[in-house]
Amino acid sequence: MNPIIQPPKPRSNSSKRELLFTFQSIIVTGLLAFTAIAFFFHFDLRIEKGIKVVFAPFLSVVPLLFILSILRDLRKGFKEGNYTKDEIVKFCLITAGITAAFTGVTFLLSKIDALEILLAAIMAILSVVFFMRSKIKDILGMSIITGIAEGIIVYMIFLF
Amino acid sequence: MQLKKLNTAFIVTTGVSVIVFVYLVFLGFDEIKTLKDVVKIIASILFPLPMLFFVRFLLIEHFLPQNTDEYKLKHQKPATILLITSVVIGVLSMQAIEWVTGQKLEDHLVFAHLINSTTISSYVLNFVLYNNLRVNGILSGILLSLAMHVFFLTA
């Protein structure tokens, strides 16, 4: 007899972590798109040469694809068990640091006055995020991505 | 099953955030004048989400306690005490901040959004995933004090 409803597969902790990591990178992608749109409309960015806008993403996407194709995985993957207290403190500090750094980076992004440069910069950050997503599947990657997301949000709330 | 719960948690969190967002937008409709205000509000709504994902990532172990009568009985008293203390502390500190800075919370709706969305997200996450009654007490206290502050204590 073939059961119609498959019993749910037991999920390991590392696969749950991977799912959370994926969600987080989706959030960051959304936030970056949001930043681009908000800056574009708020600062009335001008487009100097249309052709530059078309080619801006390639600046970072092409090296990303090349690196992804030649590099092996840098990290061993997600841990199954719990993290120790020292690790948690360490990675929370890293996240806080990246948050502060990215608040600054977003501030720099707001100083850009041409759409094509903004697009190139956003695509470069996005490429970094995808690099983390596919090669640094680890708590380090997670804390960096969280830092990027929080940095953008902190800038938007308090400094924009 | 656990993954299903996880997904439910985030869907519920997002849903509640959206409802609160719509409500607060109606509430402060007059103050939204430029794109900048909209961006700020959206950012303050989104603020807790990456943090929650990160916390969940760290605390992956599922320690949902059995929701038995015994467990409830044991934590009833400390949870109630924590609720009352956090209400008192919340109201007092908000009054103190308003008094010290001489500004009203209504004039800075972004902060109300920020407290609200952060607390509600962690409330829902705690309720669905961890069911820690003491944390529940604290978070309920913060929400209650925010509500009391906005409804009764501001002229």
PDB file of all heavy atoms in Angstrom, chain B residues 48-80:
ATOM      1  N   PRO B  48      13.395  43.496  13.797  1.00  0.00           N
ATOM      2  CA  PRO B  48      13.607  42.276  14.597  1.00  0.00           C
ATOM      3  C   PRO B  48      13.891  41.023  13.785  1.00  0.00           C
ATOM      4  O   PRO B  48      14.486  40.096  14.322  1.00  0.00           O
ATOM      5  CB  PRO B  48      12.292  42.135  15.362  1.00  0.00           C
ATOM      6  CG  PRO B  48      11.305  42.876  14.573  1.00  0.00           C
ATOM      7  CD  PRO B  48      12.024  43.997  13.962  1.00  0.00           C
ATOM      8  N   LEU B  49      13.460  40.989  12.517  1.00  0.00           N
ATOM      9  CA  LEU B  49      13.506  39.712  11.807  1.00  0.00           C
ATOM     10  C   LEU B  49      14.903  39.103  11.674  1.00  0.00           C
ATOM     11  O   LEU B  49      15.108  37.960  12.069  1.00  0.00           O
ATOM     12  CB  LEU B  49      12.834  39.845  10.431  1.00  0.00           C
ATOM     13  CG  LEU B  49      11.309  39.874  10.476  1.00  0.00           C
ATOM     14  CD1 LEU B  49      10.739  39.936   9.076  1.00  0.00           C
ATOM     15  CD2 LEU B  49      10.768  38.635  11.173  1.00  0.00           C
ATOM     16  N   PRO B  50      15.914  39.851  11.155  1.00  0.00           N
ATOM     17  CA  PRO B  50      17.242  39.228  11.062  1.00  0.00           C
ATOM     18  C   PRO B  50      17.767  38.792  12.412  1.00  0.00           C
ATOM     19  O   PRO B  50      18.407  37.731  12.533  1.00  0.00           O
ATOM     20  CB  PRO B  50      18.114  40.341  10.479  1.00  0.00           C
ATOM     21  CG  PRO B  50      17.194  41.256   9.829  1.00  0.00           C
ATOM     22  CD  PRO B  50      15.927  41.203  10.591  1.00  0.00           C
ATOM     23  N   MET B  51      17.442  39.583  13.442  1.00  0.00           N
ATOM     24  CA  MET B  51      17.916  39.244  14.770  1.00  0.00           C
ATOM     25  C   MET B  51      17.288  37.946  15.259  1.00  0.00           C
ATOM     26  O   MET B  51      17.964  37.085  15.832  1.00  0.00           O
ATOM     27  CB  MET B  51      17.571  40.369  15.726  1.00  0.00           C
ATOM     28  CG  MET B  51      18.672  40.689  16.680  1.00  0.00           C
ATOM     29  SD  MET B  51      19.055  42.393  16.622  1.00  0.00           S
ATOM     30  CE  MET B  51      17.771  43.076  17.594  1.00  0.00           C
ATOM     31  N   LEU B  52      15.988  37.791  14.977  1.00  0.00           N
ATOM     32  CA  LEU B  52      15.308  36.570  15.396  1.00  0.00           C
ATOM     33  C   LEU B  52      15.887  35.357  14.679  1.00  0.00           C
ATOM     34  O   LEU B  52      16.090  34.308  15.290  1.00  0.00           O
ATOM     35  CB  LEU B  52      13.819  36.667  15.068  1.00  0.00           C
ATOM     36  CG  LEU B  52      12.968  37.488  16.002  1.00  0.00           C
ATOM     37  CD1 LEU B  52      11.536  37.448  15.556  1.00  0.00           C
ATOM     38  CD2 LEU B  52      13.071  36.930  17.392  1.00  0.00           C
ATOM     39  N   PHE B  53      16.157  35.511  13.378  1.00  0.00           N
ATOM     40  CA  PHE B  53      16.752  34.400  12.642  1.00  0.00           C
ATOM     41  C   PHE B  53      18.088  34.016  13.258  1.00  0.00           C
ATOM     42  O   PHE B  53      18.409  32.839  13.390  1.00  0.00           O
ATOM     43  CB  PHE B  53      16.957  34.776  11.173  1.00  0.00           C
ATOM     44  CG  PHE B  53      15.711  34.661  10.339  1.00  0.00           C
ATOM     45  CD1 PHE B  53      14.984  35.769  10.007  1.00  0.00           C
ATOM     46  CD2 PHE B  53      15.281  33.435   9.890  1.00  0.00           C
ATOM     47  CE1 PHE B  53      13.846  35.669   9.231  1.00  0.00           C
ATOM     48  CE2 PHE B  53      14.146  33.322   9.121  1.00  0.00           C
ATOM     49  CZ  PHE B  53      13.428  34.438   8.793  1.00  0.00           C
ATOM     50  N   PHE B  54      18.840  35.033  13.624  1.00  0.00           N
ATOM     51  CA  PHE B  54      20.168  34.771  14.193  1.00  0.00           C
ATOM     52  C   PHE B  54      20.042  34.054  15.538  1.00  0.00           C
ATOM     53  O   PHE B  54      20.765  33.090  15.798  1.00  0.00           O
ATOM     54  CB  PHE B  54      20.924  36.093  14.345  1.00  0.00           C
ATOM     55  CG  PHE B  54      22.372  35.928  14.691  1.00  0.00           C
ATOM     56  CD1 PHE B  54      23.215  35.252  13.838  1.00  0.00           C
ATOM     57  CD2 PHE B  54      22.885  36.443  15.855  1.00  0.00           C
ATOM     58  CE1 PHE B  54      24.546  35.088  14.145  1.00  0.00           C
ATOM     59  CE2 PHE B  54      24.209  36.294  16.171  1.00  0.00           C
ATOM     60  CZ  PHE B  54      25.044  35.613  15.310  1.00  0.00           C
ATOM     61  N   VAL B  55      19.127  34.525  16.361  1.00  0.00           N
ATOM     62  CA  VAL B  55      18.931  33.893  17.671  1.00  0.00           C
ATOM     63  C   VAL B  55      18.496  32.444  17.497  1.00  0.00           C
ATOM     64  O   VAL B  55      19.002  31.527  18.146  1.00  0.00           O
ATOM     65  CB  VAL B  55      17.894  34.682  18.488  1.00  0.00           C
ATOM     66  CG1 VAL B  55      17.487  33.919  19.730  1.00  0.00           C
ATOM     67  CG2 VAL B  55      18.453  36.019  18.879  1.00  0.00           C
ATOM     68  N   ARG B  56      17.580  32.238  16.568  1.00  0.00           N
ATOM     69  CA  ARG B  56      17.090  30.899  16.298  1.00  0.00           C
ATOM     70  C   ARG B  56      18.237  30.012  15.800  1.00  0.00           C
ATOM     71  O   ARG B  56      18.326  28.837  16.133  1.00  0.00           O
ATOM     72  CB  ARG B  56      15.974  31.002  15.265  1.00  0.00           C
ATOM     73  CG  ARG B  56      15.444  29.708  14.763  1.00  0.00           C
ATOM     74  CD  ARG B  56      14.554  29.046  15.770  1.00  0.00           C
ATOM     75  NE  ARG B  56      14.205  27.725  15.280  1.00  0.00           N
ATOM     76  CZ  ARG B  56      14.143  26.648  16.047  1.00  0.00           C
ATOM     77  NH1 ARG B  56      14.381  26.734  17.314  1.00  0.00           N
ATOM     78  NH2 ARG B  56      13.829  25.500  15.537  1.00  0.00           N
ATOM     79  N   PHE B  57      19.105  30.620  14.994  1.00  0.00           N
ATOM     80  CA  PHE B  57      20.258  29.889  14.462  1.00  0.00           C
ATOM     81  C   PHE B  57      21.173  29.438  15.596  1.00  0.00           C
ATOM     82  O   PHE B  57      21.679  28.314  15.594  1.00  0.00           O
ATOM     83  CB  PHE B  57      21.019  30.829  13.523  1.00  0.00           C
ATOM     84  CG  PHE B  57      22.173  30.208  12.812  1.00  0.00           C
ATOM     85  CD1 PHE B  57      21.995  29.625  11.577  1.00  0.00           C
ATOM     86  CD2 PHE B  57      23.430  30.234  13.358  1.00  0.00           C
ATOM     87  CE1 PHE B  57      23.051  29.066  10.908  1.00  0.00           C
ATOM     88  CE2 PHE B  57      24.504  29.676  12.694  1.00  0.00           C
ATOM     89  CZ  PHE B  57      24.311  29.087  11.460  1.00  0.00           C
ATOM     90  N   LEU B  58      21.362  30.308  16.580  1.00  0.00           N
ATOM     91  CA  LEU B  58      22.226  29.943  17.698  1.00  0.00           C
ATOM     92  C   LEU B  58      21.547  28.923  18.604  1.00  0.00           C
ATOM     93  O   LEU B  58      22.160  27.943  19.014  1.00  0.00           O
ATOM     94  CB  LEU B  58      22.576  31.188  18.520  1.00  0.00           C
ATOM     95  CG  LEU B  58      23.565  32.155  17.898  1.00  0.00           C
ATOM     96  CD1 LEU B  58      23.705  33.372  18.786  1.00  0.00           C
ATOM     97  CD2 LEU B  58      24.915  31.501  17.729  1.00  0.00           C
ATOM     98  N   LEU B  59      20.301  29.165  18.904  1.00  0.00           N
ATOM     99  CA  LEU B  59      19.585  28.307  19.860  1.00  0.00           C
ATOM    100  C   LEU B  59      18.730  27.315  19.108  1.00  0.00           C
ATOM    101  O   LEU B  59      17.516  27.331  19.192  1.00  0.00           O
ATOM    102  CB  LEU B  59      18.698  29.158  20.760  1.00  0.00           C
ATOM    103  CG  LEU B  59      19.371  30.272  21.537  1.00  0.00           C
ATOM    104  CD1 LEU B  59      18.333  31.102  22.238  1.00  0.00           C
ATOM    105  CD2 LEU B  59      20.332  29.678  22.545  1.00  0.00           C
ATOM    106  N   ILE B  60      19.405  26.456  18.329  1.00  0.00           N
ATOM    107  CA  ILE B  60      18.639  25.558  17.468  1.00  0.00           C
ATOM    108  C   ILE B  60      17.974  24.459  18.263  1.00  0.00           C
ATOM    109  O   ILE B  60      16.949  23.938  17.876  1.00  0.00           O
ATOM    110  CB  ILE B  60      19.566  25.007  16.376  1.00  0.00           C
ATOM    111  CG1 ILE B  60      18.745  24.456  15.217  1.00  0.00           C
ATOM    112  CG2 ILE B  60      20.493  23.948  16.916  1.00  0.00           C
ATOM    113  CD1 ILE B  60      18.243  25.474  14.276  1.00  0.00           C
ATOM    114  N   GLU B  61      18.550  24.119  19.401  1.00  0.00           N
ATOM    115  CA  GLU B  61      17.978  23.015  20.167  1.00  0.00           C
ATOM    116  C   GLU B  61      16.561  23.354  20.579  1.00  0.00           C
ATOM    117  O   GLU B  61      16.258  24.456  21.020  1.00  0.00           O
ATOM    118  CB  GLU B  61      18.822  22.752  21.419  1.00  0.00           C
ATOM    119  CG  GLU B  61      20.047  21.914  21.150  1.00  0.00           C
ATOM    120  CD  GLU B  61      19.720  20.550  20.577  1.00  0.00           C
ATOM    121  OE1 GLU B  61      18.790  19.922  21.090  1.00  0.00           O
ATOM    122  OE2 GLU B  61      20.395  20.137  19.629  1.00  0.00           O
ATOM    123  N   HIS B  62      15.731  22.382  20.439  1.00  0.00           N
ATOM    124  CA  HIS B  62      14.324  22.617  20.648  1.00  0.00           C
ATOM    125  C   HIS B  62      13.991  22.256  22.076  1.00  0.00           C
ATOM    126  O   HIS B  62      13.933  21.090  22.420  1.00  0.00           O
ATOM    127  CB  HIS B  62      13.565  21.729  19.686  1.00  0.00           C
ATOM    128  CG  HIS B  62      12.203  22.190  19.438  1.00  0.00           C
ATOM    129  ND1 HIS B  62      11.916  23.222  18.595  1.00  0.00           N
ATOM    130  CD2 HIS B  62      11.023  21.764  19.916  1.00  0.00           C
ATOM    131  CE1 HIS B  62      10.622  23.410  18.564  1.00  0.00           C
ATOM    132  NE2 HIS B  62      10.063  22.539  19.355  1.00  0.00           N
ATOM    133  N   PHE B  63      13.837  23.239  22.913  1.00  0.00           N
ATOM    134  CA  PHE B  63      13.490  22.874  24.282  1.00  0.00           C
ATOM    135  C   PHE B  63      12.085  23.315  24.647  1.00  0.00           C
ATOM    136  O   PHE B  63      11.856  24.022  25.598  1.00  0.00           O
ATOM    137  CB  PHE B  63      14.521  23.356  25.308  1.00  0.00           C
ATOM    138  CG  PHE B  63      15.052  24.728  25.076  1.00  0.00           C
ATOM    139  CD1 PHE B  63      14.382  25.827  25.561  1.00  0.00           C
ATOM    140  CD2 PHE B  63      16.221  24.906  24.379  1.00  0.00           C
ATOM    141  CE1 PHE B  63      14.884  27.092  25.361  1.00  0.00           C
ATOM    142  CE2 PHE B  63      16.725  26.175  24.171  1.00  0.00           C
ATOM    143  CZ  PHE B  63      16.053  27.261  24.666  1.00  0.00           C
ATOM    144  N   LEU B  64      11.169  22.874  23.831  1.00  0.00           N
ATOM    145  CA  LEU B  64       9.777  23.161  24.138  1.00  0.00           C
ATOM    146  C   LEU B  64       9.359  22.333  25.334  1.00  0.00           C
ATOM    147  O   LEU B  64       9.346  21.111  25.279  1.00  0.00           O
ATOM    148  CB  LEU B  64       8.910  22.799  22.940  1.00  0.00           C
ATOM    149  CG  LEU B  64       7.460  23.228  23.015  1.00  0.00           C
ATOM    150  CD1 LEU B  64       7.348  24.723  22.903  1.00  0.00           C
ATOM    151  CD2 LEU B  64       6.665  22.572  21.926  1.00  0.00           C
ATOM    152  N   PRO B  65       9.032  22.954  26.456  1.00  0.00           N
ATOM    153  CA  PRO B  65       8.655  22.163  27.623  1.00  0.00           C
ATOM    154  C   PRO B  65       7.262  21.591  27.454  1.00  0.00           C
ATOM    155  O   PRO B  65       6.457  22.105  26.689  1.00  0.00           O
ATOM    156  CB  PRO B  65       8.707  23.183  28.759  1.00  0.00           C
ATOM    157  CG  PRO B  65       8.636  24.493  28.118  1.00  0.00           C
ATOM    158  CD  PRO B  65       9.013  24.370  26.693  1.00  0.00           C
ATOM    159  N   GLN B  66       7.013  20.506  28.128  1.00  0.00           N
ATOM    160  CA  GLN B  66       5.669  19.939  28.120  1.00  0.00           C
ATOM    161  C   GLN B  66       4.726  20.931  28.790  1.00  0.00           C
ATOM    162  O   GLN B  66       5.008  21.444  29.860  1.00  0.00           O
ATOM    163  CB  GLN B  66       5.673  18.628  28.902  1.00  0.00           C
ATOM    164  CG  GLN B  66       6.434  17.522  28.210  1.00  0.00           C
ATOM    165  CD  GLN B  66       5.783  17.097  26.915  1.00  0.00           C
ATOM    166  OE1 GLN B  66       4.585  16.904  26.876  1.00  0.00           O
ATOM    167  NE2 GLN B  66       6.567  16.991  25.859  1.00  0.00           N
ATOM    168  N   ASN B  67       3.632  21.175  28.119  1.00  0.00           N
ATOM    169  CA  ASN B  67       2.719  22.190  28.643  1.00  0.00           C
ATOM    170  C   ASN B  67       1.759  21.565  29.652  1.00  0.00           C
ATOM    171  O   ASN B  67       0.549  21.608  29.498  1.00  0.00           O
ATOM    172  CB  ASN B  67       1.967  22.819  27.476  1.00  0.00           C
ATOM    173  CG  ASN B  67       1.550  24.222  27.798  1.00  0.00           C
ATOM    174  OD1 ASN B  67       1.822  24.705  28.891  1.00  0.00           O
ATOM    175  ND2 ASN B  67       0.897  24.884  26.879  1.00  0.00           N
ATOM    176  N   THR B  68       2.322  20.980  30.688  1.00  0.00           N
ATOM    177  CA  THR B  68       1.488  20.275  31.651  1.00  0.00           C
ATOM    178  C   THR B  68       1.017  21.211  32.759  1.00  0.00           C
ATOM    179  O   THR B  68       1.501  22.336  32.891  1.00  0.00           O
ATOM    180  CB  THR B  68       2.276  19.139  32.303  1.00  0.00           C
ATOM    181  OG1 THR B  68       3.460  19.699  32.871  1.00  0.00           O
ATOM    182  CG2 THR B  68       2.652  18.092  31.298  1.00  0.00           C
ATOM    183  N   ASP B  69       0.082  20.733  33.533  1.00  0.00           N
ATOM    184  CA  ASP B  69      -0.410  21.519  34.663  1.00  0.00           C
ATOM    185  C   ASP B  69       0.706  21.781  35.662  1.00  0.00           C
ATOM    186  O   ASP B  69       0.805  22.867  36.236  1.00  0.00           O
ATOM    187  CB  ASP B  69      -1.556  20.782  35.363  1.00  0.00           C
ATOM    188  CG  ASP B  69      -2.813  20.804  34.519  1.00  0.00           C
ATOM    189  OD1 ASP B  69      -2.813  21.567  33.526  1.00  0.00           O
ATOM    190  OD2 ASP B  69      -3.760  20.075  34.832  1.00  0.00           O
ATOM    191  N   GLU B  70       1.545  20.758  35.831  1.00  0.00           N
ATOM    192  CA  GLU B  70       2.635  20.877  36.795  1.00  0.00           C
ATOM    193  C   GLU B  70       3.580  22.014  36.411  1.00  0.00           C
ATOM    194  O   GLU B  70       3.945  22.862  37.230  1.00  0.00           O
ATOM    195  CB  GLU B  70       3.387  19.551  36.829  1.00  0.00           C
ATOM    196  CG  GLU B  70       4.349  19.403  37.975  1.00  0.00           C
ATOM    197  CD  GLU B  70       5.203  18.163  37.778  1.00  0.00           C
ATOM    198  OE1 GLU B  70       4.890  17.372  36.868  1.00  0.00           O
ATOM    199  OE2 GLU B  70       6.176  18.011  38.522  1.00  0.00           O
ATOM    200  N   TYR B  71       3.928  22.017  35.102  1.00  0.00           N
ATOM    201  CA  TYR B  71       4.843  23.057  34.604  1.00  0.00           C
ATOM    202  C   TYR B  71       4.233  24.437  34.781  1.00  0.00           C
ATOM    203  O   TYR B  71       4.887  25.385  35.211  1.00  0.00           O
ATOM    204  CB  TYR B  71       5.148  22.780  33.133  1.00  0.00           C
ATOM    205  CG  TYR B  71       5.934  23.853  32.448  1.00  0.00           C
ATOM    206  CD1 TYR B  71       7.297  23.991  32.708  1.00  0.00           C
ATOM    207  CD2 TYR B  71       5.333  24.726  31.550  1.00  0.00           C
ATOM    208  CE1 TYR B  71       8.022  24.979  32.088  1.00  0.00           C
ATOM    209  CE2 TYR B  71       6.055  25.710  30.938  1.00  0.00           C
ATOM    210  CZ  TYR B  71       7.399  25.834  31.197  1.00  0.00           C
ATOM    211  OH  TYR B  71       8.121  26.810  30.589  1.00  0.00           O
ATOM    212  N   LYS B  72       2.958  24.542  34.468  1.00  0.00           N
ATOM    213  CA  LYS B  72       2.297  25.837  34.590  1.00  0.00           C
ATOM    214  C   LYS B  72       2.262  26.294  36.044  1.00  0.00           C
ATOM    215  O   LYS B  72       2.523  27.458  36.343  1.00  0.00           O
ATOM    216  CB  LYS B  72       0.872  25.746  34.045  1.00  0.00           C
ATOM    217  CG  LYS B  72       0.815  25.756  32.541  1.00  0.00           C
ATOM    218  CD  LYS B  72      -0.602  25.869  32.064  1.00  0.00           C
ATOM    219  CE  LYS B  72      -0.636  25.956  30.558  1.00  0.00           C
ATOM    220  NZ  LYS B  72      -1.981  25.902  30.025  1.00  0.00           N
ATOM    221  N   LEU B  73       1.921  25.319  36.928  1.00  0.00           N
ATOM    222  CA  LEU B  73       1.809  25.642  38.345  1.00  0.00           C
ATOM    223  C   LEU B  73       3.134  26.144  38.890  1.00  0.00           C
ATOM    224  O   LEU B  73       3.197  27.111  39.649  1.00  0.00           O
ATOM    225  CB  LEU B  73       1.374  24.381  39.102  1.00  0.00           C
ATOM    226  CG  LEU B  73       0.518  24.606  40.344  1.00  0.00           C
ATOM    227  CD1 LEU B  73      -0.761  25.318  39.956  1.00  0.00           C
ATOM    228  CD2 LEU B  73       0.181  23.259  40.974  1.00  0.00           C
ATOM    229  N   LYS B  74       4.212  25.507  38.430  1.00  0.00           N
ATOM    230  CA  LYS B  74       5.532  25.841  38.955  1.00  0.00           C
ATOM    231  C   LYS B  74       5.937  27.252  38.545  1.00  0.00           C
ATOM    232  O   LYS B  74       6.600  27.962  39.299  1.00  0.00           O
ATOM    233  CB  LYS B  74       6.537  24.823  38.414  1.00  0.00           C
ATOM    234  CG  LYS B  74       7.847  24.803  39.178  1.00  0.00           C
ATOM    235  CD  LYS B  74       8.757  23.748  38.561  1.00  0.00           C
ATOM    236  CE  LYS B  74      10.195  24.173  38.684  1.00  0.00           C
ATOM    237  NZ  LYS B  74      11.024  23.520  37.660  1.00  0.00           N
ATOM    238  N   HIS B  75       5.539  27.651  37.338  1.00  0.00           N
ATOM    239  CA  HIS B  75       6.016  28.939  36.836  1.00  0.00           C
ATOM    240  C   HIS B  75       4.992  30.054  36.955  1.00  0.00           C
ATOM    241  O   HIS B  75       5.270  31.178  36.553  1.00  0.00           O
ATOM    242  CB  HIS B  75       6.453  28.796  35.378  1.00  0.00           C
ATOM    243  CG  HIS B  75       7.704  28.009  35.241  1.00  0.00           C
ATOM    244  ND1 HIS B  75       8.942  28.563  35.393  1.00  0.00           N
ATOM    245  CD2 HIS B  75       7.909  26.707  34.985  1.00  0.00           C
ATOM    246  CE1 HIS B  75       9.851  27.625  35.232  1.00  0.00           C
ATOM    247  NE2 HIS B  75       9.260  26.481  34.988  1.00  0.00           N
ATOM    248  N   GLN B  76       3.819  29.714  37.502  1.00  0.00           N
ATOM    249  CA  GLN B  76       2.786  30.740  37.612  1.00  0.00           C
ATOM    250  C   GLN B  76       3.265  31.976  38.359  1.00  0.00           C
ATOM    251  O   GLN B  76       3.193  33.093  37.869  1.00  0.00           O
ATOM    252  CB  GLN B  76       1.607  30.158  38.378  1.00  0.00           C
ATOM    253  CG  GLN B  76       0.316  30.152  37.610  1.00  0.00           C
ATOM    254  CD  GLN B  76      -0.717  29.306  38.307  1.00  0.00           C
ATOM    255  OE1 GLN B  76      -0.667  29.166  39.529  1.00  0.00           O
ATOM    256  NE2 GLN B  76      -1.633  28.769  37.556  1.00  0.00           N
ATOM    257  N   LYS B  77       3.791  31.723  39.547  1.00  0.00           N
ATOM    258  CA  LYS B  77       4.117  32.830  40.431  1.00  0.00           C
ATOM    259  C   LYS B  77       5.267  33.699  39.882  1.00  0.00           C
ATOM    260  O   LYS B  77       5.090  34.911  39.753  1.00  0.00           O
ATOM    261  CB  LYS B  77       4.442  32.297  41.816  1.00  0.00           C
ATOM    262  CG  LYS B  77       3.974  33.252  42.907  1.00  0.00           C
ATOM    263  CD  LYS B  77       4.163  32.610  44.263  1.00  0.00           C
ATOM    264  CE  LYS B  77       4.375  33.664  45.318  1.00  0.00           C
ATOM    265  NZ  LYS B  77       4.845  33.071  46.577  1.00  0.00           N
ATOM    266  N   PRO B  78       6.422  33.086  39.537  1.00  0.00           N
ATOM    267  CA  PRO B  78       7.491  33.939  39.003  1.00  0.00           C
ATOM    268  C   PRO B  78       7.080  34.681  37.750  1.00  0.00           C
ATOM    269  O   PRO B  78       7.431  35.868  37.585  1.00  0.00           O
ATOM    270  CB  PRO B  78       8.627  32.956  38.700  1.00  0.00           C
ATOM    271  CG  PRO B  78       8.108  31.605  38.945  1.00  0.00           C
ATOM    272  CD  PRO B  78       6.867  31.701  39.725  1.00  0.00           C
ATOM    273  N   ALA B  79       6.271  34.044  36.889  1.00  0.00           N
ATOM    274  CA  ALA B  79       5.857  34.726  35.659  1.00  0.00           C
ATOM    275  C   ALA B  79       4.984  35.927  35.986  1.00  0.00           C
ATOM    276  O   ALA B  79       5.156  37.003  35.403  1.00  0.00           O
ATOM    277  CB  ALA B  79       5.104  33.756  34.751  1.00  0.00           C
ATOM    278  N   THR B  80       4.076  35.779  36.949  1.00  0.00           N
ATOM    279  CA  THR B  80       3.211  36.907  37.312  1.00  0.00           C
ATOM    280  C   THR B  80       4.027  38.038  37.913  1.00  0.00           C
ATOM    281  O   THR B  80       3.824  39.210  37.585  1.00  0.00           O
ATOM    282  CB  THR B  80       2.142  36.449  38.325  1.00  0.00           C
ATOM    283  OG1 THR B  80       1.693  35.166  37.930  1.00  0.00           O
ATOM    284  CG2 THR B  80       1.011  37.413  38.371  1.00  0.00           C
TER     285      THR B  80
END
